[in-house]
Amino acid sequence: MRRFLLLYATQKGQAKAIAEEIYEKAFAHGFSADLHCISESDKYDLKTETAPLVVVVSTTGTGDPPDTARKFVKEIQDKALPIDFFAHLRYGLLGLGDSEYTYFCNGGKIIDKRLQELGAQHFYDTGHADDCVGLELVVEPWINGLWAALTKHFMSSREKERNEALKMASNASQRMEPVKPELLYIESQVELLRLDDPGRKDSEVQEQNAVNRDQSSAPTAESQSSLTHSIPPLSQASLSIPALPPEYLQVHLQESVGQEESQASVTSVDPIFQVPISKAVQLTTNDAIKTTLLVELDISKTDFSYQPGDAFNVICPNSDSEVQNLLERLQLTDRREYCVLLKIKADTKKKGAALPQHIPEGRSLQFILTWCLEIRAVPKKALLRALVDYTSDGIEKRRLQELCSRQGAADYSRFVRDAHASVLDLLLAFPSCQPPLSLLLEHLPKLQPRPYSCASSNLSHPGKLHFIFNIVEFLSNTTVEVLRKGVCTGWLAMVVAPILHPNTRVSPAEDGKAPAPEISICPRTTNFFHLPSDPSAPIIMVGPGTGIAPFIGFLQHREKLQEQHPEGHFGATWLFFGCRHKDRDYLFREELRHFHKRGILTHLKVSFSRDAPVGEEAAPVKYVQDNIQLHSEQVARVLLNESGYIYVCGDAKNMAKDVNDTLVEIISKQAGVEKLEAMKRLATLKEEKRYLQDIWS
């Protein structure tokens, strides 16, 4: 039985459960796994381990390895260790994480990186499973592929052993465990399937299959697929690639006299308002996982108007550094100030070819790349296909063909779409690809403005508009691992930095030194997330994290209405808010307590997902859906008996779905109906505009 060492580092039990699943499946695939928690260092020794290693690692806190791995990480981080300390080790690692958090799968990445620094090599590609979309999307295929990778590893090792055994044939049979003939046949057939890059010479292929090739026991980078490299069967498959998109733009760069350009030049069907930022406040503490900022815009000198619950668009640019890097890669840095003049190619085969509406006439190349094109957009297969014809290196050309082919769909998903690769990432990864500027202008989509919910009421803050956002950060490792910020949130954070205050109690008048920066905004064409026209209707608001934004506007508005109509009848208001830590990211805590104390907010229910239980509390309420479930009778009464409204704002992937599922459960139980009927009643609430969602992915 072929043995491997299986370690897990877990915080909440998920990594352990996955490791146990691997352990249970191993036997059926002809393997024996030694399963241990990574903290049980007395039960294994990586310094002397000869078997392949499989590690499953979760991530906790702000991107740290779990508590059970702290001792292990501390030991391998010892700078005194030689760079070949783990040179004998072959391993595969599966990291677990949640892309909602800044340092996705960082627990696994820390261990993975350090093992390689100490000489260990992969026998199987690292997997990064995302709890935000479902761990199983990566975990299941990763486990399924593990057995073939282990088989290949053992075959390579056995091949080396056989070579040594041939020299001592007289007593080899006494020392070696016999291999079943049928298994030997299967392994030999699998070995024949090993194929190389199209660019390899026949002699190299023969050399690879030679019995005496000792290197076969040490997997190299070429044995693993990546953005730039494929492995069998894809690397030798006949490819079905899409038809070449016909080119249709003719581009002329004309030297400019250096006219002034502003983002108002960006084409838009909506009116654009350039407004000053009158205040910026950090709502979270510095040790919060996500940094949340509140920005106040002065709209007093514009015609911009809004209702609580409305959303509006912020017109944002691409990152300066990414634009400069793209210009450099295209060898157009010296012409960045030139005007871009577009015409339709006279001989184009594209039917109905028209100039892109999102590229304004006569603007500089730098302006167009900064304000008009989504240079971060994941390249579609049509663009990859077009890049093929501008790639001179045969291996690079073949890889681009694979990525846009039907046979390479899985690699495209993995290395392009799921990796959030950009056109710049591709051009850096494939240096022989030299596309003309016209190709990018044809294929890159419009840089879209980013929507934000209004977090204020014009009754409470006349002439002002508030909105809040998290500064989005994520790791991108298509070519090299870099920490990127969201296109808009990263830019906004930079814009407000000179006037940013650490708390809401600071008045903007206290700091008049920094000039007020300006941004451009435009209204959203459709807004539906509004308070009921009948103020006596009860409302339930569900908004964890920045999803609380429109509800602050609701409550400010309701407070002013109740002041104006002291004898009026106002329905009950429920707010289900959630965050990670009470002392780090409880947004608008003082304002919510004020509303609750005054009776504007009838019921305030808050959950903290990362805080430890207090006192004898065994199972704290972690998420908004848990709190909703806890008050299921009242929620059902509001929705089913009192003609109430429910509003949900925030993450679409997990929270909104979980809240929806919880509402189905509540209606089913409280109304005594089957699940299908409960789903129908919830659908009816949506049709009646009494179940409203403002959610995003």
Side-chain angles (χ1 to χ4, degrees):
M1 188 70 74
R2 296 167 294 181
R3 171 188 166 275
F4 67 93
L5 177 62
L6 176 56
L7 301 179
Y8 64 86
T10 192
Q11 187 74 20
K12 298 180 181 178
Q14 285 181 315
K16 181 181 179 182
I18 291 168
E20 288 173 344
E21 180 184 350
I22 295 171
Y23 174 80
E24 290 166 3
K25 289 182 175 180
F27 184 82
H29 289 273
F31 299 100
S32 170
D34 285 346
L35 175 65
H36 303 292
C37 177
I38 205 166
S39 62
E40 299 174 320
S41 54
D42 58 323
K43 297 182 180 178
Y44 66 90
D45 187 0
L46 295 187
K47 293 192 295 291
T48 59
E49 184 60 68
T50 57
L53 168 68
V54 176
V55 194
V56 184
V57 187
S58 65
T59 300
T60 188
T62 56
D64 302 316
D67 295 343
T68 53
R70 282 185 181 178
K71 182 182 175 183
F72 175 84
V73 170
K74 185 178 180 181
E75 288 174 353
I76 64 172
Q77 295 284 23
D78 184 354
K79 294 182 179 179
L81 295 176
I83 58 173
D84 61 349
F85 189 71
F86 287 139
H88 61 285
L89 203 60
R90 302 292 177 267
Y91 75 102
L93 186 143
L94 176 61
L96 311 181
D98 187 333
S99 61
E100 268 198 286
Y101 302 101
T102 304
Y103 299 103
F104 172 61
C105 280
N106 204 49
K109 289 176 180 177
I110 289 172
I111 294 174
D112 197 5
K113 181 182 178 183
R114 187 55 180 158
L115 288 177
Q116 291 184 69
E117 288 173 349
L118 295 174
Q121 296 181 43
H122 288 122
F123 75 86
Y124 188 34
D125 283 350
T126 296
H128 295 135
D130 186 2
D131 201 23
C132 186
V133 296
L135 293 173
E136 69 283 355
L137 295 180
V138 168
V139 171
E140 290 178 6
W142 194 88
I143 294 176
N144 291 338
L146 174 63
W147 315 121
L150 281 167
T151 299
K152 184 175 181 180
H153 170 81
F154 280 107
M155 284 169 59
S156 299
S157 300
R158 187 175 293 123
E159 186 173 301
K160 187 176 181 180
E161 290 169 6
R162 284 176 189 154
N163 295 336
E164 295 170 352
L166 285 172
K167 299 173 185 176
M168 297 176 285
S170 59
N171 56 3
S173 59
Q174 299 172 9
R175 295 199 311 271
M176 293 178 63
E177 183 182 7
V179 180
K180 293 182 180 180
E182 62 269 27
L183 182 60
L184 186 60
Y185 172 77
I186 292 171
E187 288 178 347
S188 68
Q189 296 305 303
V190 172
E191 196 68 22
L192 288 174
L193 293 176
R194 292 170 61 201
L195 304 168
D196 272 78
D197 294 335
R200 288 262 183 113
K201 296 178 182 177
D202 290 343
S203 60
E204 290 176 315
V205 176
Q206 292 166 4
E207 204 175 292
Q208 173 188 316
N209 291 322
V211 174
N212 291 318
R213 190 174 181 191
D214 290 347
Q215 292 93 325
S216 60
S217 63
T220 64
E222 278 71 34
S223 68
Q224 303 173 41
S225 57
S226 66
L227 176 63
T228 56
H229 177 77
S230 63
I231 58 175
L234 179 60
S235 60
Q236 286 237 330
S238 296
L239 302 177
S240 303
I241 62 174
L244 180 66
E247 297 182 5
Y248 67 95
L249 283 182
Q250 183 177 316
V251 179
H252 175 65
L253 294 178
Q254 184 178 65
E255 198 165 355
S256 166
V257 292
Q259 80 243 30
E260 189 175 333
E261 296 175 307
S262 75
Q263 57 266 48
S265 306
V266 179
T267 55
S268 173
V269 294
D270 298 311
I272 294 176
F273 301 92
Q274 194 157 345
V275 295
I277 297 173
S278 49
K279 184 169 70 173
V281 176
Q282 182 172 318
L283 300 179
T284 50
T285 58
N286 290 332
D287 58 349
I289 291 173
K290 293 184 178 183
T291 300
T292 307
L293 304 185
L294 176 145
V295 171
E296 179 183 83
L297 303 177
D298 184 350
I299 58 171
S300 60
K301 296 178 182 178
T302 72
D303 295 330
F304 188 93
S305 62
Y306 70 97
Q307 293 184 50
D310 281 354
F312 66 99
N313 289 324
V314 172
I315 297 171
C316 61
N318 288 305
S319 156
D320 277 345
S321 62
E322 289 178 38
V323 170
Q324 298 317 315
N325 289 340
L326 184 56
L327 284 167
E328 187 176 328
R329 176 61 181 81
L330 295 172
Q331 299 177 351
L332 291 170
T333 303
D334 58 339
R335 289 186 279 176
R336 63 181 181 272
E337 299 300 335
Y338 283 32
C339 282
V340 177
L341 303 177
L342 300 180
K343 288 199 310 184
I344 300 297
K345 292 181 75 171
D347 59 348
T348 183
K349 296 179 181 178
K350 181 179 175 67
K351 294 181 179 179
L355 296 178
Q357 293 296 303
H358 56 281
I359 301 179
E361 187 178 351
R363 298 298 169 186
S364 71
L365 175 57
Q366 170 125 1
F367 178 87
I368 288 171
L369 293 179
T370 302
W371 290 98
C372 304
L373 299 177
E374 191 89 58
I375 64 174
R376 274 269 191 94
V378 173
K380 296 188 182 302
K381 290 187 178 183
L383 175 53
L384 269 66
R385 173 63 187 90
L387 292 176
V388 167
D389 286 22
Y390 291 97
T391 304
S392 57
D393 181 85
I395 294 175
E396 292 182 11
K397 182 188 286 275
R398 163 73 189 194
R399 183 53 174 157
L400 286 169
Q401 288 175 328
E402 290 170 352
L403 290 171
C404 70
S405 71
R406 181 168 54 82
Q407 292 76 13
D411 274 21
Y412 172 81
S413 295
R414 180 179 177 189
F415 299 116
V416 181
R417 188 186 64 199
D418 296 346
H420 304 291
S422 67
V423 68
L424 177 59
D425 292 325
L426 289 182
L427 294 177
L428 293 175
F430 299 94
S432 78
C433 182
Q434 301 292 338
L437 174 62
S438 59
L439 197 70
L440 270 59
L441 299 186
E442 288 173 357
H443 287 272
L444 287 176
K446 176 186 177 183
L447 177 58
Q448 296 291 340
R450 274 36 176 186
Y452 293 93
S453 298
C454 300
S456 56
S457 164
N458 51 8
L459 292 183
S460 182
H461 297 277
K464 298 290 192 286
L465 168 61
H466 293 180
F467 69 101
I468 64 174
F469 60 91
N470 291 326
I471 301 175
V472 176
E473 293 181 314
F474 60 96
L475 282 171
S476 174
N477 55 1
T478 49
T479 47
V480 293
E481 189 168 88
V482 293
L483 183 65
R484 285 179 174 162
K485 292 189 176 182
V487 173
C488 191
T489 63
W491 171 70
L492 283 171
M494 181 187 66
V495 168
V496 304
I499 63 169
L500 184 64
H501 292 301
N503 61 68
T504 53
R505 287 180 289 278
V506 177
S507 161
E510 291 179 33
D511 185 3
K513 297 178 182 178
E518 293 187 342
I519 65 172
S520 292
I521 63 172
C522 59
R524 297 267 285 177
T525 52
T526 55
N527 282 304
F528 58 88
F529 204 75
H530 295 148
L531 283 164
S533 54
D534 177 7
S536 66
I539 63 171
I540 297 170
M541 300 168 282
V542 183
T546 55
I548 196 174
F551 305 132
I552 293 298
F554 280 9
L555 294 168
Q556 289 178 359
H557 203 73
R558 181 62 68 91
E559 182 176 37
K560 290 299 179 183
L561 288 178
Q562 291 188 208
E563 288 175 2
Q564 294 170 5
H565 307 281
E567 303 302 321
H569 177 50
F570 294 90
T573 52
W574 290 73
L575 174 63
F576 292 94
F577 174 70
C579 60
R580 293 180 178 84
H581 299 283
K582 181 178 182 180
D583 297 325
R584 299 184 197 176
D585 54 1
Y586 187 169
L587 308 182
F588 300 104
R589 175 162 55 180
E590 297 307 317
E591 289 88 338
L592 292 176
R593 287 176 175 171
H594 163 77
F595 291 134
H596 191 232
K597 186 177 180 180
R598 288 203 61 194
I600 309 301
L601 180 56
T602 321
H603 306 279
L604 174 60
K605 307 298 176 185
V606 185
S607 49
F608 307 104
S609 63
R610 297 294 177 91
D611 282 345
V614 179
E616 299 179 0
E617 188 180 3
V621 175
K622 294 183 67 175
Y623 303 109
V624 286
Q625 62 266 24
D626 300 329
N627 240 333
I628 294 171
Q629 188 71 259
L630 206 60
H631 298 85
S632 56
E633 289 185 21
Q634 297 97 314
V635 169
R637 185 169 62 248
V638 167
L639 296 180
L640 302 179
N641 302 332
E642 299 175 359
S643 300
Y645 291 67
I646 183 165
Y647 300 83
V648 180
C649 183
D651 164 46
K653 289 182 179 178
N654 282 335
M655 183 277 299
K657 180 181 180 299
D658 291 339
V659 168
N660 190 83
D661 292 345
T662 300
L663 292 174
V664 169
E665 286 181 34
I666 288 173
I667 293 173
S668 176
K669 182 180 178 181
Q670 298 299 324
V673 297
E674 294 292 328
K675 183 178 178 181
L676 183 59
E677 177 60 27
M679 293 171 69
K680 288 180 180 178
R681 294 197 185 185
L682 207 53
T684 301
L685 288 178
K686 285 186 178 181
E687 290 173 7
E688 295 173 349
K689 301 292 189 288
R690 292 200 292 123
Y691 177 16
L692 297 168
Q693 294 176 308
D694 180 6
I695 56 180
W696 55 84
S697 58

